[in-house]
């Protein structure tokens, strides 16, 4: 099957980034979200990034217009009907994702592949919501999507070789480097990254260091581009907590218990950059 039309569910920081890289690769893109204001914000973000690319001489104004012209937006999932491949990048919440997959299964044509950008929910559990489990797969992009080279591809038990190959080839077409992971909570990326971030929050909680010192140690001592607390703010503290909960429940192992301070920040609505306050404050 040749993928020509690519659907993206969710126009937030991951969804609009995925829509941008798909449109830049030449695909027709349909990007949806539940509210028009979310879709408009997603399009504004893409327009801003492409505008900067034009200023930097990385693309021409005509190329920018052509990319934008390939992205259609909608607030109705029914408009995903023509899509050959759909990536769901909705909030990291199981019941919401399950409902989206049940809906897509009845809306999309039988050959269409349904992928999830979930950061930790087992793909097999998502695939079981559909009547096409062989066509369900994990396609996990990293934030910020236009910059980060990796796509982590997760095969569920029922995922077919054809679905895997189409996903691998699409990742390469998007200019990314794919890596394969088995279907266990957190996969590879968040099995390793999130306990490190959680431990950094424990360091803050136990008073081992200030947020600045913790981040400086990891930036300058380990050559990480950002400290773990600044990275948590970029990812979203609600997403970090959701992933730790999935690891904790999935492995029944206390080494994955979320730090109480992380939970406290989330309960206070301090979710990181997107709300203007997390471990740091943002204008
Ligand atoms: N969208 C698009 N482009 C962006 C961007 C964004 N949100 N943020 C930065 N960029 C671009 C800049 O425009 C700049 O482009 P040029 O080289 O063309 O000028 C380039 O990226 C570098 O940006 P800056 O100079 O402003 O800043 P930087 O060098 O510090 O890089 C960063 C910023 C890329 C975010 C870098 O700090 C970094 O790599 N941080 C770590 C990010 C990371 O670990 N991401 C994975 C998170 S985990 C995840 O996503 C998975 C999950 O499931 C939770």
């Amino acid at each position: 099957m040749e993928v020509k039309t690519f659907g993206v569910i969710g126009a937030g920081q991951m969804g609009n980034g995925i829509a941008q890289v798909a449109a830049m690769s030449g695909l027709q893109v349909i990007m949806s979200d539940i509210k028009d204001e979310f879709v408009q914000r997603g399009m504004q973000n893409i327009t801003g990034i492409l505008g900067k690319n034009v200023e930097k001489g990385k693309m021409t104004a005509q190329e920018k217009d052509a990319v934008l012209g390939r992205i259609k937006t909608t607030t109705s999932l029914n408009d995903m009907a023509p899509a050959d491949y759909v990536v769901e990048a909705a909030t990291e919440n199981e019941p919401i994702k399950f409902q989206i997959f049940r809906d897509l299964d009845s809306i999309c044509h039988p050959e269409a592949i349904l992928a999830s950008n979930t950061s930790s929910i087992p793909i097999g559990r998502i695939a079981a919501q559909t009547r096409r489990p062989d066509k369900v797969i994990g396609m996990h992009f990293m934030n910020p999507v236009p910059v980060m080279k990796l796509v982590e591809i997760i095969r569920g038990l029922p995922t077919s070789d054809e679905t895997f190959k189409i996903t691998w080839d699409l990742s390469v077409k998007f200019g990314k480097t794919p890596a394969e992971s088995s279907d266990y909570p957190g996969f590879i990326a968040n099995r390793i990254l999130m306990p490190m971030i959680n431990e950094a929050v424990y360091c803050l909680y136990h008073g081992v260091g200030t947020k600045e010192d913790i981040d400086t140690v990891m930036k300058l001592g380990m050559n990480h581009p950002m400290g773990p607390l600044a990275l948590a703010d970029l990812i979203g503290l609600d997403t970090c907590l959701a992933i730790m909960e999935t690891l904790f429940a999935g492995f029944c192992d206390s080494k994955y218990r979320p730090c109480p301070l992380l939970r406290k920040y989330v309960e206070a609505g301090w979710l990181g950059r997107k709300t203007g306050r997390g471990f740091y404050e943002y204008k």
Side-chain angles (χ1 to χ4, degrees):
M1 189 200 43
E2 194 194 345
V3 176
K4 291 187 180 144
T5 305
F6 187 85
V8 183
I9 311 295
Q13 60 182 0
M14 297 306 288
N16 74 61
I18 298 169
Q20 181 192 319
V21 296
M24 285 176 76
S25 81
L27 296 180
Q28 296 297 325
V29 175
I30 310 165
M31 178 172 76
S32 83
D33 211 317
I34 48 174
K35 284 191 190 166
D36 198 48
E37 62 177 285
F38 297 160
V39 167
Q40 294 312 324
R41 211 182 300 152
M43 280 309 288
Q44 273 166 19
N45 200 46
I46 297 173
T47 308
I49 290 169
L50 294 180
K52 279 192 193 143
N53 284 351
V54 173
E55 279 167 28
K56 289 177 196 161
K58 288 185 165 181
M59 64 179 2
T60 65
Q62 287 83 349
E63 283 165 343
K64 171 191 146 191
D65 292 343
V67 171
L68 290 174
R70 283 196 285 275
I71 307 177
K72 271 186 15 187
T73 59
T74 179
T75 52
S76 167
L77 267 195
N78 288 326
D79 289 337
M80 289 294 158
D84 305 307
Y85 196 112
V86 182
V87 175
E88 165 277 318
T91 182
E92 193 67 6
N93 172 299
E94 247 185 43
I96 291 176
K97 287 194 190 290
F98 285 1
Q99 189 57 50
I100 290 172
F101 273 80
R102 286 195 287 266
D103 291 345
L104 287 174
D105 192 32
S106 52
I107 292 165
C108 295
H109 63 78
E111 293 308 310
I113 293 174
L114 307 180
S116 177
N117 181 57
T118 176
S119 12
S120 62
I121 299 170
I123 297 304
R125 222 185 283 166
I126 297 176
Q129 305 303 312
T130 73
R131 289 158 298 169
R132 60 179 94 192
D134 57 313
K135 295 191 174 61
V136 175
I137 193 161
M139 190 181 199
H140 184 208
F141 291 83
M142 303 294 127
N143 185 10
V145 178
V147 182
M148 304 300 283
K149 282 280 175 206
L150 176 72
V151 174
E152 190 180 30
I153 301 179
I154 305 101
R155 286 177 97 123
L157 267 188
T159 307
S160 72
D161 289 345
E162 194 197 1
T163 300
F164 181 79
K165 182 170 182 335
I166 290 170
T167 306
W168 186 277
D169 292 347
L170 261 185
S171 308
V172 173
K173 188 179 167 81
F174 293 172
K176 306 294 184 194
T177 302
E180 180 183 350
S181 167
S182 297
D183 189 19
Y184 287 101
F187 320 127
I188 297 172
N190 282 318
R191 174 92 172 258
I192 299 172
L193 174 67
M194 235 12 104
M196 184 196 75
I197 288 178
N198 195 48
E199 204 56 36
V201 186
Y202 268 111
C203 283
L204 187 65
Y205 178 61
H206 289 147
V208 182
T210 63
K211 57 183 183 297
E212 290 83 5
D213 285 328
I214 293 165
D215 276 355
T216 300
V217 165
M218 297 307 285
K219 265 171 71 178
L220 302 186
M222 284 77 197
N223 252 357
H224 290 194
M226 307 171 86
L229 299 174
L231 181 55
D233 280 355
L234 175 72
I235 293 167
L237 303 194
D238 50 342
T239 302
C240 294
L241 179 61
I243 295 169
M244 286 310 297
E245 302 274 27
T246 302
L247 290 170
F248 189 48
F251 291 111
C252 299
D253 188 332
S254 65
K255 77 176 175 180
Y256 298 114
R257 70 200 187 285
C259 178
L261 187 63
L262 178 61
R263 193 181 300 284
K264 197 162 149 181
Y265 273 52
V266 172
E267 284 167 356
W270 293 3
L271 306 184
R273 286 194 191 192
K274 61 187 169 189
T275 57
R277 178 151 197 181
F279 294 109
Y280 296 89
E281 286 184 52
Y282 303 87
K283 294 257 158 54

